[in-house]
Amino acid sequence: MMLTPRWCPLVASLLPVAMAVAPPGGCGDSLDSLYFNLCDLSAVWGIVLQAVSGAGILICFVFALVLVTSIPFIQDGKKKSTVAIQVFFNFGTFGLFCLVFDFIISEDFATCASRRFLFGVLFGICFSCLLAHTLRLNFLVRKNDGPKAWYIFLLALSLTLVEVIINTEWLIITIVRNNGTHSTSLGDPCNIAEMDFVVALIYIMFLIVVTLGFAVASQWGQFKHWKKHGAFILVTVSFSIAIWIVWIVMYIYGNDKVGNQRWNDPTIAIALAANAWVFVFLYTIPEICHLTKASLEQNYVEEVYPTRGVGYETILKEQQAQHMYIENKAFSMDEPNAANKSKSPYSGYSGYNGQLRNSVYQPTEMALMNKTVPLENPYDHYIPRVTISQSAFSSNASTLRAEDAFTTENRQPGQHEGSSGQTF
């Protein structure tokens, strides 16, 4: 059948529609054209971004479990109070990874409305938590004490609610307005200029700048162990500022210069995934690693008690050595009776009758010479001589202890004259 000229425009108008509906390579025939970027092999950016975002979603879920389960193991109470902010921040990072899928999917009324609303709100959650945390760090680094945990959490929540109100009003105005006409149809949230989208994020930019200022200020203070937490926030915000500058320039000017407006959605999706991973690697992971570590104050207390324990063990060892001395003395051979023992010349100074001489005060020769009481033979005290009794020779003992010899030498002079011992 021949086509008349009046059918040619109709066929020509249907051909582009048929070609647009045809699924690309990697997508099924029954798949809606709205989701072609998720499986289009010719547009690899969608597949790569959804893989990267899926891994981020899984990691954020694991980190949430780690934060909640690590609460009983946190030793420092000041660190434990930041768990609520960490969980709230992790929730915002989780939402950023999920929002990447919204920019991979093609535009329609629902996706455009959620993009415009959630982009600012999720970034508002993250930067509000960073701002509240770094504000508390400024108190800790100077006074080692700061506001209570629920004050900080309420501050982060309040800063986030401001962005929620701003985005709600902006979205309502965008949808309700009729572009200067008297039509009753709703406005299209997809019909938003690039500059309008960026201007709506001025509050988020304000949070970023203020957080950067507080992070820099947290590096001055006398309590240096809190500075590393401020350094985490400082590095995180610095990388975030670089990412925001790049995507805003590309979104407003770069894509227009290249002449490819289809790269607007990939630009924002890449910025979302990159900034979310910066949050994970530069802030979340270091904070979790330092969460269960003991503070310097606790380390000092732990070092004091082992020192006391060592002293107690030293006392026990001294008592044990004394008991061993008594037990060894019980096995000595030919031990004279305690009644026949004479006091040592050092007994006036020690009071221990010659026992444990190495642990008591022993006077010098000069101290003995200065004593007012004259001694019969003072040189006997200055140069001790060993006297061996006959009982020691007649006994079956094969070993003569130096202590027995010294005890025999310390007897009275009258006993020395009447004794039958041999003197060397």
Side-chain angles (χ1 to χ4, degrees):
M1 183 178 68
M2 293 291 296
L3 292 176
T4 58
R6 64 189 182 91
W7 291 102
C8 291
L10 180 60
V11 174
S13 62
L14 292 176
L15 283 176
V17 176
M19 295 192 57
V21 173
C27 299
D29 297 335
S30 60
L31 185 65
D32 193 351
S33 60
L34 193 66
Y35 307 102
F36 281 169
N37 290 330
L38 296 174
C39 55
D40 189 1
L41 296 179
S42 60
V44 188
W45 66 271
I47 300 175
V48 173
L49 282 178
Q50 66 179 334
V52 171
S53 302
I57 291 172
L58 180 61
I59 289 212
C60 288
F61 180 75
V62 172
F63 284 166
L65 294 178
V66 171
L67 287 170
V68 174
T69 55
S70 63
I71 293 177
F73 304 99
I74 301 175
Q75 302 176 12
D76 192 354
K78 298 182 182 69
K79 293 181 181 179
K80 185 182 292 187
S81 60
T82 61
V83 173
I85 297 178
Q86 301 292 339
V87 173
F88 194 37
F89 178 85
N90 189 73
F91 173 75
T93 308
F94 176 83
L96 291 178
F97 282 120
C98 294
L99 189 61
V100 174
F101 290 90
D102 209 0
F103 282 91
I104 297 176
I105 299 173
S106 300
E107 293 182 349
D108 65 349
F109 185 88
T111 56
C112 289
S114 59
R115 289 177 184 180
R116 269 52 181 179
F117 180 78
L118 293 176
F119 189 91
V121 171
L122 293 174
F123 272 113
I125 292 174
C126 296
F127 288 112
S128 297
C129 292
L130 292 178
L131 177 58
H133 190 190
T134 190
L135 178 63
R136 185 170 185 264
L137 288 175
N138 278 274
F139 287 94
L140 292 174
V141 80
R142 290 170 175 83
K143 302 179 181 179
N144 200 26
D145 192 14
K148 295 182 180 180
W150 63 277
Y151 287 162
I152 299 300
F153 181 76
L154 286 179
L155 176 61
L157 188 61
S158 302
L159 294 174
T160 305
L161 289 177
V162 174
E163 178 63 19
V164 171
I165 295 172
I166 293 173
N167 278 13
T168 302
E169 293 179 353
W170 181 75
L171 189 61
I172 290 174
I173 294 172
T174 302
I175 294 177
V176 172
R177 71 180 180 181
N178 298 316
N179 298 325
T181 63
H182 297 283
S183 175
T184 58
S185 61
L186 296 176
D188 187 6
C190 298
N191 189 17
I192 301 297
E194 290 81 2
M195 185 62 71
D196 293 340
F197 180 74
V198 174
V199 169
L201 300 172
I202 290 180
Y203 178 73
I204 303 299
M205 301 176 192
F206 170 76
L207 292 179
I208 295 174
V209 174
V210 175
T211 305
L212 179 65
F214 279 117
V216 173
S218 65
Q219 299 305 304
W220 283 274
Q222 56 181 342
F223 297 96
K224 298 181 180 180
H225 59 282
W226 293 109
K227 291 184 180 180
K228 60 179 177 293
H229 300 278
F232 299 152
I233 299 177
L234 179 60
V235 175
T236 303
V237 175
S238 299
F239 274 88
S240 299
I241 290 175
I243 292 172
W244 273 64
I245 292 174
V246 171
W247 82 259
I248 288 175
V249 171
M250 289 296 298
Y251 186 70
I252 296 177
Y253 301 106
N255 295 333
D256 288 338
K257 295 295 182 180
V258 175
N260 191 356
Q261 292 292 331
R262 293 180 302 176
W263 276 96
N264 285 341
D265 291 346
T267 299
I268 300 179
I270 293 172
L272 281 170
N275 211 159
W277 278 110
V278 166
F279 290 154
V280 170
F281 283 114
L282 299 182
Y283 179 74
T284 304
I285 292 178
E287 286 293 332
I288 291 177
C289 293
H290 286 81
L291 200 61
T292 55
K293 287 185 178 180
S295 62
L296 295 180
E297 300 172 357
Q298 292 175 338
N299 289 335
Y300 177 76
V301 173
E302 290 175 359
E303 289 175 359
V304 170
Y305 285 101
T307 304
R308 296 177 181 176
V310 170
Y312 182 69
E313 293 175 358
T314 305
I315 296 173
L316 292 179
K317 289 180 180 179
E318 293 177 355
Q319 293 179 355
Q320 184 178 4
Q322 184 176 0
H323 291 308
M324 290 177 62
Y325 172 78
I326 297 173
E327 292 176 359
N328 291 335
K329 191 172 182 180
F331 289 97
S332 61
M333 306 297 295
D334 298 333
E335 182 72 15
N337 294 330
N340 297 328
K341 286 186 180 181
S342 62
K343 291 186 178 181
S344 172
Y346 309 121
S347 61
Y349 299 92
S350 62
Y352 285 92
N353 295 330
Q355 297 180 2
L356 295 177
R357 296 169 54 249
N358 57 352
S359 61
V360 298
Y361 170 74
Q362 297 182 3
T364 61
E365 294 181 1
M366 184 60 69
L368 292 174
M369 292 173 64
N370 292 331
K371 291 184 68 174
T372 57
V373 180
L375 300 175
E376 276 186 27
N377 192 4
Y379 296 99
D380 291 338
H381 299 281
Y382 303 154
I383 305 175
R385 293 177 296 174
V386 179
T387 303
I388 304 174
S389 61
Q390 293 294 334
S391 61
F393 285 104
S394 61
S395 63
N396 294 328
S398 60
T399 303
L400 179 64
R401 298 194 306 118
E403 182 186 358
D404 297 335
F406 182 79
T407 305
T408 307
E409 184 270 334
N410 287 332
R411 294 180 179 178
Q412 298 294 333
Q415 293 180 0
H416 280 290
E417 295 176 359
S419 63
S420 60
Q422 298 180 1
T423 303
F424 295 89

